Amino acid sequence: MSSAKSPYPSAERLDLVDHLHGYDIPDPYRWLEDPADPRTGAWSGAQDELTAARLAALPGRDRLAARLRGLLDAGSVSAPLWRAGRAFLVRRTPGQEHAVVLVREPQPDGTTVERVLLDPMLLDPDGLTTLDSWVPDLEGRRLAYQVSRGGDENSVLHVMDVGAGELVEKPIDRCRYSDVAWLPGGEEIVFVRKVADGEVPAGEENLHRRIWRHRIGADTSTDVLIEGPGLYEDHNYYGVHVSRDGRWLVVSANVGTARRDSVWIASLDGDRTGELVPILTQADDVQAAAWVERDGLLHVLTTDGAPRWRLCVTEPERPQREHWRELVAEDPESVLEGVRRLEPPPGSDEEPLLVLVRARHAVAELALHALDGTPRGTVPLPGTGSVAGVSVADRDTPAEYGRLWLGWTDLVTPYQVQRFDRATGETVLVEAAPGEVDVPDVHTEQLEFVSADGTTVRMFVIRPATAPTGPVPTLVTGYGGFGITREPAYTPTALTWVEAGGVYALVSLRGGGEEGEAWHLAGNRANKQNVFDDLHSACERLVADGVTTPAQLAIMGGSNGGLLVGAALTQRPDLYRAVVCSAPLLDMIRYEQFSLGRTWNDEYGTADDAGELGWLLSYSPYHHVHTGTTYPAVLFTVFDSDTRVDPLHARKMCAALQHATAGDPDTRPVLIRRETDVGHAGRSVSRTVALSVDQLAFLAVHTGLELR
């Protein structure tokens, strides 16, 4: 379409071409990378006006908002974390914007009292402050927690006295993605902190961290730096673990988001931290989570020789791989995700058991094993769903031994708490989600289909309980990256869509972790096209089965899932009618130059390498927008405070699509919705509802879904 007739804000097209490794790479909207450029400001303001008017006119918005709010008002509750008789948990009740941290405490008369410890809305009535993490000390007397504001994820660490509810520590900044481990006694922590300004080249502060031993209440200038061989060479992210007896410190580290772990162990003796001894390095090219259990053995959960993970043990004094003893071998059909030690009930002569958290095709399972690895049965679960946290009583709460708490959800069940009792062998509901909610009557199933290269892939499908007589509007989503597993969980947007008469599908794409590390590797780097092929094949299966048609088919994804749908709409514009692309990566040639981009090159590849540049160019959505193509209706949703994925990706792609599309702008519009004071992840319930209303109303009107 000519610019003279375009209903979209004017966007200058530059005659700018990069020459990299023999490739000529046009970048006509380079100027939209700079938010301070007056042209970017003017363009964004004009897009805001256009999008606000178009979204406000969509039908069914009030009904959507009411239904989404109702489903979200189911709230949620977490499994308790036990500390010396106190139980710490998180709960969100109807009407609350954010979940709050609570503590349950036994009273002398045998009753239990529950009280709020931390409410983000009391910290910030505007609702812009989010709780990023929290962990009580081993005695349950102090709580370390991290909060950030406006979505920037630049967490500040605080320490609270649990009894008094008062802070006992000055705020500690630079704690973004910072792990915290308590030493026994509650007087010291080992924690991770970003380097200070000036310690590294400007703009690289988010890429460098250090591990410190800190005494509560002391000035951070007196903190003791933890050092070890190779500890701060190239690694970006760190995890820390202190054994319950305070004898051992385990440190893990990663290079960006690469799924390889470096691991060290050091002895702790009073104020002295021993030498960090390497267990694994990046050269070993495996993943591992390591901890010292109450029996004094070092446990290692690892992909070493086992893409679906196995469990090994050794003595902490001999932590190297040649000394490992395999306790539980890899299961070829399920992924081992976690381990807990379950003590026998008080007064029982039964043996302690290991609880293994597994996922079979993304569906949760719990298996019981003896300490020598011998199978001892399974834990019954409520159905086909996900375990959202598993906890057992700590060493100082023996009255609760023999019980296992698990957060539980499935496609129609809000987050609740179930408890398994060894004495009875039963799993029972102990706390439902706090809000009354009328979940629509739906049918759920997990289907198999074959992707382009013959690989069997699975997807969860939610349909109305009464089968439609013909094809209906269908919304498909997935992620397919970084080894992240998308499990079946309560999703108000999905239920709202299906209640209105549509079908919703969640695809277990390659690139994720649904089938272990081999599944991840089959969808990253040179294999990234497999992810897009899996999505295309899932949608083609739904069309072939008569569930939907291309004219009724919508796709939605965010972050790496935004890249997914961005690539999908450029590769198969004929297959999709409407797209929501949220916080996306779209310019895969320059993604490393912004925000945390360079930490993702192990997942995608780097434009600095000629061969890897070829991978990126083969699918980079921004570089596959072609003039004269009829593209689907597209809504980009971006967040100005996003410090992970820069909104520039969506700005450039939006401008490119608005220029190129041959579609009618009234029936196939390309819009960008911009939001301030919110970032990539946590947000209030009201913000969640507002965003979801715009997204679902947009998809509904362009696929013919009547929002009743």
Side-chain angles (χ1 to χ4, degrees), residues 32-85:
L32 278 170
E33 293 178 352
D34 182 6
D37 188 314
R39 294 174 297 175
T40 302
W43 181 88
S44 296
Q47 296 285 353
D48 290 345
E49 291 183 12
L50 171 65
T51 300
R54 293 294 295 267
L55 294 179
L58 295 175
R61 293 177 54 85
D62 291 343
R63 284 169 289 175
L64 267 180
R67 193 60 179 120
L68 285 165
R69 171 66 76 166
L71 290 168
L72 280 164
D73 270 350
S76 61
V77 62
S78 73
L81 181 60
W82 291 95
R83 291 289 189 269

Side-chain angles (χ1 to χ4, degrees), residues 51 112 142 148 167 175 190 193 202 327 355 357 372 378 395-396 419 422 437 447 465 503 522 532 622 642 651 661 705:
T51 300
T112 299
R142 287 174 169 172
S148 59
L167 296 180
C175 286
V190 177
R193 193 182 190 193
L327 202 61
V355 181
V357 183
D372 65 1
T378 60
R395 186 184 70 177
D396 301 317
R419 188 184 68 210
R422 284 187 62 177
V437 61
L447 299 178
V503 169
F532 314 134
Y622 175 61
D642 192 337
R651 290 196 296 265
T661 186
L705 182 69

Side-chain angles (χ1 to χ4, degrees), residues 187-202:
E187 297 299 327
E188 287 186 273
I189 58 172
V190 177
F191 80 114
V192 181
R193 193 182 190 193
K194 287 196 313 183
V195 299
D197 291 346
E199 288 189 50
V200 296

